[in-house]
Amino acid sequence: MSGFTVAASIAALALLTYLFVRNSTNHTSKMLRVVARGGALALVGVAIAGVMLFAPAALKRDTSARVSSTLQDQIAQAREHASQDAHLRSRMEALEGWGAAVTAEVEDDEALPPENADWQVVPVFFGTDRETQPDNTRLQYSSERGRRLELGRALISVPKSHQVPNIERPWAIKLPYFDVTIYEQTEDPAQHFTIQNIGKLTQEEFLARVRNRLARSARYKDHAIVFVHGYNTAFDSALYRTAQLSYDLKFDGAAFLYSWPSGGAVASYTYDRESAQASEPYLRQFLDIVVRETGAKSVSIIAHSMGNQPLLSVLRDMRQTGPNEVAINEVILAAPDVDADGFDNVARRIEGIARGVTLYVASNDRALMVSRNFWRNPRAGDVPPGGPLIVSGVETIDITRASTDSLALNHSGYAENNDLLQDIGKLILSGLRPPEQRLPTLLRTASPRGDYWRYLPLTAGAQVETGAHVETGEIPTTP
């Protein structure tokens, strides 16, 4: 049912409600009549406003359908031309900018957007232990546990109008705390992140496509990044986040996602925690494939929130069983929803497994505040009154100032702030340390337990002085 139909039905029901209230209050007091009729009339006004809101979309529906049909014809023609054009490779290499690198899988026509398209394509190679969900239109993964590792690849469209660091998706009305959508705008690759193609791959097919991607990498030559999502994350959402990180980092290496069976809802916290633990053997299997068999010469891992829990256990196991065989570049632990004391113990046992380990924390992360109250102990990604967690071999960066929005959740600052994306990109590409050398807005701060860094965003008009030079900007006052 369209949004216009729903709004019109509600308007009709509101009008009937008003007429009923009007007739039933004829013999009541004047005050009661005014209140009852006024409330019913306001309901009619809201419903009519809804009709006016959705009417333009309804009027444009036929045009949108025709545009969609024309677009499909263009895609079909582009694919036919791609298969017949012997000079496709040279033409793709001539495309301006780094965007050519993320769409240059010329041997796979499905990876190519049509000429003059308003979007580009980012390939995401994935591993998951989710159960497949019945769907006749495309491969879908549910929140149930599949209890085995599956490999695949998704082609994610990113609109050229994309604004860093957003993930543009259709506007939707959803019931809070439940995975129920009342209305959702039709997705359009010219405006939204969309899944253009997705499919399972055998391990041989998976490795062949990854190696092909790595062979064409230039900016991040032979680099791979692995993203492990956190709590309350649906499979598609994890794909979009991986594509956003890859696109915004201008990452032309191989981008991987490991998706464990999160319930994808606020109410699924305890289920998610146990699912994350149950996914550890499959995550280990996936990382072994990426690190040891793809041919990537540099593998960096980014884990968010509850995704840190299985990752830390797997890294500890890898460090113990094959310390001389593991070659991991950087490990980035963003807002880990892991017990602070447990993190301290594990972090010491994985020291040396990677060239560097970076911990992003924040005192205004509301998700971790809730978790801290639930477990009655600070989380590793939290900043309690005594200061952030500082562990040997781990560089701690307090990103509280990445967001000053008092109403925001502030749980994904690592991927939703341009400066922090720049810091991650430089860290993966060069491993430059200490952090203030990568980003002058990272200020070294002394504490009784050791040094850590605070992110202090700059604004025009003041100065921030680093060890090497002076930048213009203002140093905000932070606790």
Side-chain angles (χ1 to χ4, degrees):
M1 184 180 295
S2 69
F4 175 76
T5 303
V6 172
S9 300
I10 294 175
L13 181 60
L15 184 59
L16 290 174
T17 302
Y18 170 73
L19 294 175
F20 173 77
V21 170
R22 181 186 177 112
N23 291 332
S24 61
T25 57
N26 284 334
H27 304 291
T28 59
S29 66
K30 183 177 180 179
M31 180 175 294
L32 182 59
R33 287 200 305 273
V34 170
V35 172
R37 293 179 183 183
L41 194 59
L43 180 62
V44 173
V46 171
I48 291 175
V51 173
M52 296 175 66
L53 173 65
F54 288 109
L59 292 174
K60 293 179 181 178
R61 188 173 298 127
D62 291 341
T63 301
S64 298
R66 289 194 297 270
V67 170
S68 178
S69 177
T70 302
L71 183 60
Q72 294 299 324
D73 291 342
Q74 292 176 350
I75 293 174
Q77 292 174 7
R79 289 175 176 173
E80 181 180 355
H81 292 162
S83 64
Q84 297 175 354
D85 190 348
H87 301 290
L88 180 60
R89 184 181 299 274
S90 60
R91 289 196 291 113
M92 287 303 299
E93 291 175 350
L95 290 175
E96 292 184 0
W98 66 270
V102 299
T103 60
E105 297 197 1
V106 292
E107 79 292 347
D108 184 352
D109 296 345
E110 292 178 336
L112 299 173
E115 291 187 31
N116 302 319
D118 293 327
W119 71 88
Q120 295 182 350
V121 173
V122 176
V124 175
F125 301 94
F126 65 83
T128 185
D129 59 307
R130 292 176 183 260
E131 183 59 87
T132 53
Q133 178 175 314
D135 191 317
N136 294 328
T137 59
R138 49 153 282 207
L139 175 63
Q140 295 265 21
Y141 286 100
S142 71
S143 60
E144 299 299 319
R145 301 173 192 173
R147 299 176 178 83
R148 78 281 173 266
L149 175 65
E150 282 195 355
L151 304 174
R153 188 199 62 172
L155 301 177
I156 309 299
S157 70
V158 179
K160 291 181 179 178
S161 59
H162 165 65
Q163 298 293 313
V164 180
N166 299 326
I167 297 178
E168 291 86 357
R169 287 291 297 152
W171 179 76
I173 301 175
K174 296 186 176 182
L175 291 180
Y177 302 105
F178 300 95
D179 188 22
V180 177
T181 301
I182 299 175
Y183 171 77
E184 186 171 17
Q185 177 189 12
T186 301
E187 66 177 16
D188 177 0
Q191 302 179 49
H192 309 124
F193 280 63
T194 67
I195 297 174
Q196 292 289 299
N197 179 273
I198 184 171
K200 299 179 185 179
L201 297 173
T202 66
Q203 185 168 327
E204 292 73 21
E205 293 169 335
F206 183 84
L207 290 173
R209 296 198 180 193
V210 170
R211 290 165 183 163
N212 183 61
R213 174 75 179 176
L214 290 172
R216 282 195 301 276
S217 59
R219 178 183 173 90
Y220 289 84
K221 184 62 179 172
D222 294 324
H223 276 242
I225 56 172
V226 181
F227 176 62
V228 184
H229 65 75
Y231 148 70
N232 184 22
T233 303
F235 180 78
D236 288 5
S237 298
L239 286 176
Y240 298 139
R241 175 64 78 190
T242 309
Q244 177 250 324
L245 287 170
S246 178
Y247 190 94
D248 290 348
L249 291 173
K250 298 179 174 60
F251 186 78
D252 62 349
F256 296 88
L257 161 69
Y258 189 79
S259 182
W260 50 273
S262 164
V266 174
S268 65
Y269 184 83
T270 53
Y271 172 81
D272 278 19
R273 190 168 186 84
E274 292 191 342
S275 286
Q277 291 177 337
S279 72
E280 290 175 11
Y282 313 109
L283 175 58
R284 169 65 191 270
Q285 186 181 350
F286 183 70
L287 287 182
D288 280 342
I289 292 172
V290 174
V291 172
R292 295 187 171 96
E293 300 187 46
T294 60
K297 296 179 181 177
S298 175
V299 178
S300 296
I301 305 172
I302 303 173
H304 179 229
S305 185
M306 197 177 286
N308 283 271
Q309 178 184 307
L311 175 65
L312 287 171
S313 295
V314 168
L315 291 179
R316 178 185 59 195
D317 187 50
M318 294 174 77
R319 185 75 177 92
Q320 292 172 343
T321 58
N324 298 323
E325 299 177 7
V326 178
I328 297 175
N329 180 33
E330 298 289 339
V331 175
I332 298 170
L333 309 174
D337 186 4
V338 178
D339 182 88
D341 295 327
F343 179 93
D344 192 333
N345 294 332
V346 175
R348 297 178 192 280
R349 296 170 68 179
I350 66 171
E351 189 171 359
I353 194 171
R355 183 167 65 177
V357 179
T358 301
L359 171 65
Y360 286 111
V361 301
S363 63
N364 57 353
D365 187 325
R366 282 175 167 72
L368 293 184
M369 291 178 190
V370 173
S371 180
R372 181 210 314 164
N373 292 333
F374 182 84
W375 296 107
R376 300 177 62 186
N377 201 56
R379 318 314 288 163
D382 191 13
V383 181
L389 184 64
I390 300 174
V391 181
S392 175
V394 178
E395 290 179 338
T396 299
I397 301 177
D398 182 350
I399 61 171
T400 300
R401 295 290 300 179
S403 173
T404 57
D405 186 348
S406 60
L407 299 179
L409 192 62
N410 302 322
H411 193 48
S412 301
Y414 72 101
E416 297 174 349
N417 179 283
N418 289 350
D419 283 346
L420 298 181
L421 282 170
Q422 179 184 352
D423 184 51
I424 290 174
K426 289 182 177 179
L427 182 60
I428 292 173
L429 189 60
S430 67
L432 186 62
R433 286 182 166 81
E436 66 264 26
Q437 294 189 23
R438 301 191 303 267
L439 201 65
T441 51
L442 295 178
L443 179 67
R444 184 188 290 267
T445 304
S447 80
R449 295 184 303 278
D451 290 352
Y452 68 99
W453 286 261
R454 286 186 297 154
Y455 170 66
L456 300 178
L458 298 176
T459 58
Q463 294 182 335
V464 76
E465 189 170 335
T466 68
H469 58 282
V470 174
E471 296 284 342
T472 60
E474 178 183 8
I475 305 179
T477 301
T478 59

